[in-house]
Amino acid sequence: TVARLKKYGYESIEISGEPYVYKTKDVRKLLKEHDIRCWGSVTLMFTGRSLFALDEGERAASVKYVKDCITMVKELDGYEMTIVPGTVGKVTPDASPDEEWRWAVESMKEIYDHAMKAGVRPAIEPLNRFETYFCSRAAQAIALAKATGPECGVCLDAFHVNIEEAD
């Protein structure tokens, strides 16, 4: 795949947030062989992963997963980590909006500290209301980024923005 990417003119990639699957030493070597950079990654927030889960153990495991993704990005010489805060496909809350917001901010601040030490910039990605009830619009992602820290950004995906934003 990497050879094909180079053949078709790619210069860089965003790698899936799979730090437990990839051997970064091998991936880094492969990318260097084909002169392709890894600029960052995106979290894969499937069932059991949520930065604002009701279950503390799930929240802690999710924070660890995102931190491990950030470490992977650093090891691949990347500089950006796109973070989807909650489980993709979960459209009903487990707690009050205030509780979930507090948990999300606490989780993101812990992740932010790790990211800043690693030299990787975190960015919140809002999905659309059909995939999540939490953080589905740009304004919500901006609010979460501001609550996280001054270097936390927002990553807008054209597919989701097209569904949710009026402009």
Side-chain angles (χ1 to χ4, degrees):
T1 298
V2 174
R4 279 195 320 271
L5 291 173
K6 186 61 180 178
K7 177 182 172 184
Y8 292 110
Y10 283 73
E11 296 176 358
S12 63
I13 62 167
E14 173 188 66
I15 196 165
S16 296
E18 292 289 359
Y20 313 128
V21 173
Y22 300 123
K23 293 182 177 158
T24 54
K25 181 180 174 185
D26 295 339
V27 172
R28 191 173 169 171
K29 181 181 176 202
L30 183 64
L31 293 172
K32 284 187 185 275
E33 283 175 17
H34 296 282
D35 193 31
I36 293 180
R37 295 181 333 273
C38 175
W39 56 267
S41 183
V42 61
T43 58
L44 303 177
M45 301 303 273
F46 301 124
T47 301
R49 290 181 180 162
S50 174
L51 300 179
F52 53 90
L54 179 63
D55 180 84
E56 275 185 60
E58 182 178 332
R59 267 196 325 270
S62 299
V63 167
K64 181 184 181 322
Y65 159 71
V66 177
K67 288 165 77 174
D68 289 347
C69 286
I70 289 166
T71 299
M72 177 188 72
V73 168
K74 177 185 174 161
E75 290 173 354
L76 293 173
D77 297 325
Y79 55 86
E80 190 270 344
M81 183 71 223
T82 299
I83 302 167
V84 174
T87 306
V88 174
K90 185 166 181 356
V91 293
T92 56
D94 292 326
S96 74
D98 288 343
E99 286 176 303
E100 290 189 335
W101 179 259
R102 182 173 47 83
W103 294 330
V105 170
E106 287 171 0
S107 295
M108 282 301 303
K109 284 186 175 196
E110 183 177 340
I111 290 163
Y112 180 83
D113 289 344
H114 179 73
M116 292 298 94
K117 289 175 187 163
V120 174
R121 186 172 189 194
I124 309 294
E125 180 180 358
L127 300 183
N128 64 72
R129 69 193 116 125
F130 304 109
E131 295 186 47
T132 186
Y133 63 93
F134 186 92
C135 198
S136 60
R137 293 186 320 276
Q140 293 167 325
I142 291 168
L144 184 54
K146 284 181 178 179
T148 297
E151 295 300 316
C152 187
V154 172
C155 180
L156 298 177
D157 180 309
F159 173 80
H160 299 292
V161 171
N162 185 52
I163 293 171
E164 294 302 333
E165 304 298 333
D167 180 2

